Amino acid sequence: MKYIRTAVLLTTLVVSGTAVVYLAQSSEAPAFARDSGVVVATRAVRPPATSYSFLRLDNPPRTEVLDQDNGLVATFTDGARSAVLNGPNRTFSDPARTPAVVTTDAWVRFTDQPWHAGDEKAEWFRPWLTHALADSGPDLLAVATQYVASARFGPDADVADFLGEPWQGRTPRKTKLGTLDSAGYARLVYGYRMGYPAIPRNPAEIATASLGAVVADQAPGAARAKFLAQPGDLLLFAIDGKEIDHVGIYLGADDSGRPRFLACRGSGPTFSDVLDDNGPYATGLRGIRRL
């Protein structure tokens, strides 16, 4: 798929045991879809694990991968392709809209097939894990935050409109160039960039589609549902009524411990709202999907 990964690794510098990863822009991608060219990771280099063990957990059913010191390496959820890996710390910011910053060691990457209990014994697993842990290219969270500064909100604007070129049978509208609505933003990040197939066009259809694992459903603002989310999860909101009318991508807790999510609203993609107050997004959360 031509434009799924628009960043290429420019250089990795290792100084006194610290790796700083820089991303360069790819000239193949349309201008609106290119990376921001910022430093995305800084941390002490961690040696690879010498052995792994596996722990099964419930709610939702998932497998945790532990290293020889019982440190968490990765989490795989049954029925989902997205895996959360423990990697270099990164700090994400949205300075035009919020002073909050999110520092996380979670990296979200996709397997080629949904996870099933016991897949740690499958032939594909060890090579995939080794490659994913060594991959310093942009993951789902890096891709999603690349559009905080470059995209704008537009009612009924989809990926084709944003890019200014056809995508999935849709023709771009010149008046909506560079804009996205909330579902269009999710489709851009999960579908166009990460290659996850067949995400429906509007939030109500997304809510009823068979997409990955259902982590929480019909949970009206329940605190328990909020904190079942892990970075990279697709969040479903009912803001203006009972029907799902908005979607977002869970980013993680900010440096004050408040849960943040990315969504295209207002002036564009942002993580300025939280999920632990009495605002419309906290009270309007209805479901969580792990793709």
Side-chain angles (χ1 to χ4, degrees):
M1 186 171 286
K2 188 175 181 182
Y3 298 130
I4 288 176
R5 300 291 292 276
T6 66
V8 294
L9 184 63
L10 176 61
T11 183
T12 301
L13 303 178
V14 180
V15 181
S16 300
T18 299
V20 181
V21 181
Y22 294 86
L23 297 178
Q25 296 192 15
S26 167
S27 59
E28 290 185 352
F32 283 119
R34 294 180 191 170
D35 295 324
S36 57
V38 299
V39 176
V40 297
T42 304
R43 71 138 199 178
V45 175
R46 173 183 171 180
T50 56
S51 63
Y52 295 119
S53 59
F54 305 92
L55 178 65
R56 285 293 292 174
L57 298 171
D58 295 321
N59 196 29
R62 62 198 188 276
T63 300
E64 287 190 347
V65 182
L66 308 176
D67 64 16
Q68 67 278 1
D69 299 316
N70 289 324
L72 182 63
V73 174
T75 302
F76 298 84
T77 300
D78 294 8
R81 285 179 52 198
S82 61
V84 176
L85 308 173
N86 187 334
N89 277 328
R90 298 172 290 173
T91 298
F92 298 113
S93 63
D94 183 7
R97 302 178 184 93
T98 176
V101 296
V102 175
T103 302
T104 180
D105 61 4
W107 291 63
V108 183
R109 301 202 181 276
F110 284 79
T111 60
D112 293 331
Q113 58 276 310
W115 180 263
H116 300 91
D119 271 355
E120 67 273 12
K121 300 175 184 177
E123 185 176 348
W124 65 268
F125 174 70
R126 289 300 180 98
W128 184 92
L129 183 63
T130 299
H131 179 269
L133 290 172
D135 188 356
S136 55
D139 71 325
L140 174 74
L141 303 184
V143 166
T145 54
Q146 286 164 5
Y147 300 101
V148 166
S150 63
R152 305 186 311 278
F153 175 78
D156 190 39
D158 195 20
V159 179
D161 300 311
F162 176 78
L163 298 173
E165 62 180 37
W167 188 70
Q168 289 194 346
R170 293 183 176 269
T171 301
R173 294 165 287 183
K174 293 182 180 180
T175 58
K176 293 184 178 294
L177 181 66
T179 66
L180 294 160
D181 62 15
S182 73
Y185 174 62
R187 282 160 55 84
L188 175 74
V189 173
Y190 290 113
Y192 180 81
R193 291 295 302 277
M194 304 306 295
Y196 193 92
I199 296 177
R201 173 63 192 97
N202 65 63
E205 292 175 343
I206 290 173
T208 59
S210 179
L211 297 173
V214 176
V215 177
D217 206 14
Q218 299 301 317
R224 181 170 173 271
K226 297 171 191 175
F227 295 105
L228 287 174
Q230 69 180 20
D233 283 355
L234 178 66
L235 306 182
L236 310 175
F237 300 92
I239 304 302
D240 296 326
K242 294 183 179 180
E243 186 177 73
I244 301 300
D245 55 15
H246 195 77
V247 296
I249 301 169
Y250 186 63
L251 181 59
D254 66 22
D255 287 1
S256 297
R258 307 193 73 182
R260 300 270 172 177
F261 68 99
L262 285 151
C264 194
R265 56 192 183 275
S267 59
T270 180
F271 58 83
S272 58
D273 289 290
V274 294
L275 293 172
D276 63 352
D277 61 7
N278 293 318
Y281 297 101
T283 59
L285 179 65
R286 293 294 183 272
I288 302 170
R289 302 289 184 271
R290 191 159 297 159
L291 301 191

